[in-house]
Amino acid sequence: MRLFVAVVPPRPVLLELRAALSTLPHGDAHVRWTHPESWHITLAFLGEVPEPTLPDLTERLARAAGRATPMELAVAGGGQFDSHVLWAGIQGDRDRLGRLSESVAAAARRCRVKVDERPFRPHVTLARVRGEGSTDLKPYVERMQAFRTPRWLVKEITLFESLTPVGAGRPPIYVPRGRWALTGR
């Protein structure tokens, strides 16, 4: 199973983000836009995880969530990773979100799951560019700079399985495998 742990913004936030993106140009064939129903903030990418590991992993993720308290976040601004990925930024309790990410990754490592070790950079992926140097993302980033949603209270984390759909060029399907409340116990 290909897994990751994420925070999913609430529907009103996703609708505001969708409205903002509708003002950006969408005619470039090299820009592949992500689907709003897949938007999330990845806390930890776990990659391939053997199914027998799932019970221990879910128990440890529940404990990690249970130690964290709800936090306020907002989607704001935008940026790019290299010339390939356009993203919306995250503002608010970023330090606490970072600690939650570390706790989730530690829970996975205790299950002998190899966690992606890249530095945590909270964002929502909006689009990916196919073909090296084919599209300049700077105009998109500039237009996203003034964007900001109201803050919302993050109350849970979700473990997702990423399924590869049948058919070339179709985006992955994210299936929730577990949700845990941030209770701060």
Side-chain angles (χ1 to χ4, degrees):
M1 296 182 298
R2 191 171 169 84
L3 303 176
F4 64 93
V5 181
V7 167
V8 179
R11 183 164 173 73
V13 170
L14 297 176
L15 290 174
E16 283 199 38
L17 182 55
R18 186 178 198 163
L21 290 186
S22 71
T23 68
L24 299 178
H26 280 74
D28 190 325
H30 296 288
V31 178
R32 190 179 78 224
W33 295 92
T34 58
H35 293 275
E37 55 273 2
S38 71
W39 288 340
H40 63 273
I41 304 161
T42 302
L43 295 174
F45 179 73
L46 310 180
E48 290 297 327
V49 177
E51 188 143 2
T53 304
L54 198 56
D56 188 28
L57 177 63
T58 57
E59 182 180 316
R60 290 178 187 276
L61 290 173
R63 278 190 247 149
R67 287 189 296 271
T69 55
M71 63 194 79
E72 285 191 341
L73 297 178
V75 179
Q80 66 186 71
F81 295 133
D82 301 320
S83 59
H84 305 315
V85 177
L86 175 67
W87 50 263
I90 303 299
Q91 292 182 347
D93 292 329
R94 287 173 51 107
D95 289 341
R96 291 181 49 218
L97 186 65
R99 287 192 297 276
L100 177 59
S101 171
E102 290 169 10
S103 181
V104 163
R109 283 192 291 272
R110 284 187 203 98
C111 298
R112 296 189 180 104
V113 171
K114 188 175 187 318
V115 178
D116 185 345
E117 297 295 335
R118 285 182 277 189
F120 180 63
R121 294 169 62 178
H123 67 280
V124 175
T125 300
L126 304 175
R128 290 183 174 82
V129 175
R130 290 179 264 180
E132 192 68 38
S134 55
T135 300
D136 181 8
L137 290 176
K138 288 179 187 160
Y140 296 90
V141 172
E142 288 169 3
R143 292 192 49 193
M144 286 297 296
Q145 289 310 304
F147 176 74
R148 181 181 171 85
T149 67
R151 288 183 176 219
W152 83 91
L153 194 61
V154 175
K155 297 178 184 177
E156 69 179 13
I157 62 172
T158 304
L159 174 66
F160 285 100
E161 180 177 4
S162 178
L163 301 174
T164 304
V166 177
R170 297 183 64 193
I173 299 165
Y174 301 145
V175 178
R177 296 294 299 236
R179 286 187 178 91
W180 299 277
L182 306 182
T183 58
R185 293 183 207 161

